[in-house]
Amino acid sequence: MLKGKTVIFGVSGGIAAYKSVEIARNLVKKGATVKVIMTQAATKFITPLTFSTLTNQPVATGLFNKELSGEIHHISLSDEADIVLVAPATANIIAKVANGIADDLLSTTILATDVPVIFAPSMNSRMYLNEITQKNIKRLEAYGYRMVGPAMGELACGKGGIGRLSETDAIVEAVEFEIARGSDLKGYSVMVTAGGTREPIDPVRFIGNKSSGKTGYAIANELVRRGSKTTLISSPTCLPVPQKVNFVPINTASDMNRETIKRFDKNDAVIMTAAVADFHPLKTHKEKIKKDNIDELSIKLKPNPDIIRELGEAKGKKILIAFAAESENLLENAKRKLERKNLDLIVANDISKTGIGFGEDFNKVTIIEKDGKITEFPRMTKRAIARIIVDKLINLVEPK
Ligand code: CTP
């Protein structure tokens, strides 16, 4: 199950560090290459030699050592990784990552990686329940980091409570689960639309909207990561084109409509994140409109096709996911769009709130599914939301 996969295994300094030996052994047994990074504090509980003997790999203990794979540093480690596991994860490493602090090899590696990271917290109950630790954990979860545990039970201090490192099997299973998710869309083709369309008024001006494309690009990245053949149809944005996508640049709603319909048959699902203009100027001026002698200027608009609605009419077994940006009556309006457009799922977000939505890195969404299930999510990064949407998609597509 873990054959050919590289686990970067962070061990931070808690008494439960001795249990991480068993975890490393199980990961190796399952075929993984396990590269251990120990914090300085961890080396006080257990020796690097134990891990290097078990994993048959050098163990890294400092930001500037060259023990691991010759020229070792956080970037090369994060490049090699399929997954990062931190067990035990102390309150300290959780706090550091939650606040972007990178002052040792483990924290720099976590900050530099874009593969899934799992934390298995272990600490004294009072430390775990402390509001600051809780906030840090929530913050990490909002960024898409996974937590396993902690569990209830007897703690090193002799008292019972929450804070024990989860059982080895639960931690190894979580690693296997995340790795399996890395290819759960293999064999599928998914099309994503992103950005705000531009409807030309004249050669210089256009009618646009506030969409930055961040959600669509995050979803395209996640789809690629999960093994899907991914097409990204996008209006101009300031974002880098995700690697390994079939990128189709467009400008207008009409371009997007044409390019989406053209590829519809070859895809298993469409995720429509684009903010499509509902109207375009009836007439596009060939030359730049001059302001001289104009007191009042009207632009007549004509409706654009509703792309996802048209796809919904020819849906068959394909999965259709759309977004609903609403400034009022969020759920009612989103539900109406779900039905009217024959969708499987709609992601509703309230655009009247500041700090989330258009142009921001965060959003707060509610997902409504065809069977009526409604799930409200807390404020989280668009990247974390992308993962949730792709998880939902996997449950919706027919098995291959
Ligand atoms: N959409 C589309 N084609 C359009 C307009 C919207 O495919 N011409 C898609 C959007 O990409 C989004 C969903 O439909 O996934 C809902 O878009 P939204 O702008 O919230 O709703 P509209 O249908 O345009 O309705 P209204 O603007 O009246 O709220």
Side-chain angles (χ1 to χ4, degrees):
M1 184 82 179
L2 294 175
K3 214 161 179 256
K5 302 293 175 192
T6 298
V7 181
I8 301 296
F9 186 8
V11 181
S12 60
I15 184 67
Y18 77 93
K19 290 193 193 165
S20 48
V21 173
E22 188 63 22
I23 299 169
R25 214 160 68 122
N26 282 14
L27 292 171
V28 170
K29 263 198 205 161
K30 288 193 180 273
T33 301
V34 179
K35 300 203 167 184
V36 176
I37 303 175
M38 299 179 77
T39 62
Q40 283 301 315
T43 62
K44 307 277 187 244
F45 291 91
I46 192 153
T47 68
L49 185 64
T50 313
F51 284 113
S52 62
T53 310
L54 267 175
T55 60
N56 213 11
Q57 297 283 339
V59 170
T61 53
L63 192 50
F64 304 105
N65 76 7
K66 288 190 175 178
E67 287 164 48
L68 201 59
S69 53
E71 214 31 66
I72 175 252
H73 56 76
H74 53 290
I75 303 297
S76 66
L77 271 176
S78 41
D79 282 348
E80 284 172 61
D82 291 292
I83 193 160
V84 177
L85 167 69
V86 187
T90 56
N92 188 45
I93 188 73
I94 287 171
K96 281 206 268 190
V97 180
N99 292 286
I101 295 171
D103 64 351
D104 62 9
L105 188 59
L106 183 55
S107 50
T108 45
T109 303
I110 296 171
L111 205 63
T113 196
D114 56 4
V115 299
V117 179
I118 301 176
F119 288 95
S122 166
M123 66 198 77
N124 163 281
S125 303
R126 282 207 294 266
M127 286 172 83
Y128 176 70
L129 294 172
N130 187 303
E131 214 178 310
I132 302 171
T133 306
Q134 287 299 312
K135 272 203 176 135
N136 287 336
I137 287 174
K138 287 222 169 62
R139 185 148 194 218
L140 288 179
E141 284 174 335
Y143 278 98
Y145 293 94
R146 277 209 61 203
M147 297 286 154
V148 184
M152 297 287 288
E154 197 184 322
L155 299 169
C157 53
K159 291 188 182 141
I162 187 155
R164 262 173 79 90
L165 185 69
S166 283
E167 292 304 322
T168 300
D169 284 353
I171 295 173
V172 173
E173 263 169 38
V175 171
E176 286 183 302
F177 180 77
E178 275 302 325
I179 292 281
R181 287 217 298 193
S183 56
D184 50 8
L185 273 175
K186 221 173 178 167
Y188 291 91
S189 301
V190 184
M191 182 158 60
V192 188
T193 66
T197 60
R198 297 178 168 189
E199 311 300 325
I201 297 168
D202 68 14
V204 192
R205 301 159 180 121
F206 60 84
I207 298 175
N209 61 64
K210 289 182 175 178
S211 172
S212 64
K214 284 179 182 172
T215 301
Y217 278 57
I219 290 174
N221 269 314
E222 181 63 12
L223 287 167
V224 169
R225 197 179 75 73
R226 308 281 279 264
S228 146
K229 215 170 144 199
T230 307
T231 301
L232 176 61
I233 300 178
S234 172
S235 62
T237 72
C238 299
L239 305 169
V241 174
Q243 283 180 6
K244 297 191 195 157
V245 300
N246 170 26
F247 186 67
V248 184
I250 54 92
N251 277 298
T252 63
S254 156
D255 294 342
M256 185 171 274
N257 192 38
R258 187 186 61 242
E259 298 301 327
T260 311
I261 287 173
K262 202 165 40 177
R263 291 168 176 80
F264 190 47
D265 274 352
K266 291 211 172 83
N267 280 278
D268 299 289
V270 179
I271 305 179
M272 195 83 196
T273 76
V276 185
D278 289 322
F279 299 90
H280 67 273
L282 190 60
K283 179 177 167 214
T284 301
H285 291 260
K286 271 211 174 73
E287 308 300 335
K288 187 179 172 205
I289 302 171
K290 294 306 226 182
K291 65 178 178 295
D292 306 336
N293 306 323
I294 296 187
D295 291 333
E296 216 180 278
L297 180 67
S298 309
I299 299 172
K300 265 204 170 155
L301 301 175
K302 205 176 162 213
N304 280 327
D306 187 328
I307 304 173
I308 197 86
R309 193 170 179 176
E310 285 189 12
L311 300 182
E313 280 165 19
K315 181 174 177 302
K317 288 189 170 159
K318 295 184 195 302
I319 301 303
L320 296 185
I321 296 179
F323 278 66
E326 305 295 342
S327 58
E328 55 180 357
N329 304 329
L330 182 72
L331 289 185
E332 265 167 63
N333 284 333
K335 274 189 206 160
R336 217 159 29 85
K337 283 179 192 174
L338 178 90
E339 280 164 26
R340 202 177 56 204
K341 301 189 186 212
N342 198 16
L343 307 170
D344 296 279
L345 183 154
I346 195 155
V347 185
N349 72 293
D350 185 344
I351 54 167
S352 67
K353 304 260 175 7
T354 53
I356 53 170
F358 285 129
E360 303 286 343
D361 289 321
F362 286 82
N363 209 346
K364 187 175 177 317
V365 301
T366 302
I367 290 185
I368 308 172
E369 291 167 68
K370 200 162 64 175
D371 61 7
K373 188 172 169 207
I374 298 179
T375 321
E376 199 181 329
F377 293 90
R379 179 182 187 269
M380 47 174 71
T381 60
K382 289 184 171 173
R383 193 171 150 193
I385 292 170
R387 283 195 188 161
I388 290 168
I389 293 167
V390 175
D391 283 348
K392 291 273 182 198
L393 173 66
I394 282 150
N395 293 330
L396 292 169
V397 286
E398 299 230 312
K400 287 225 171 184

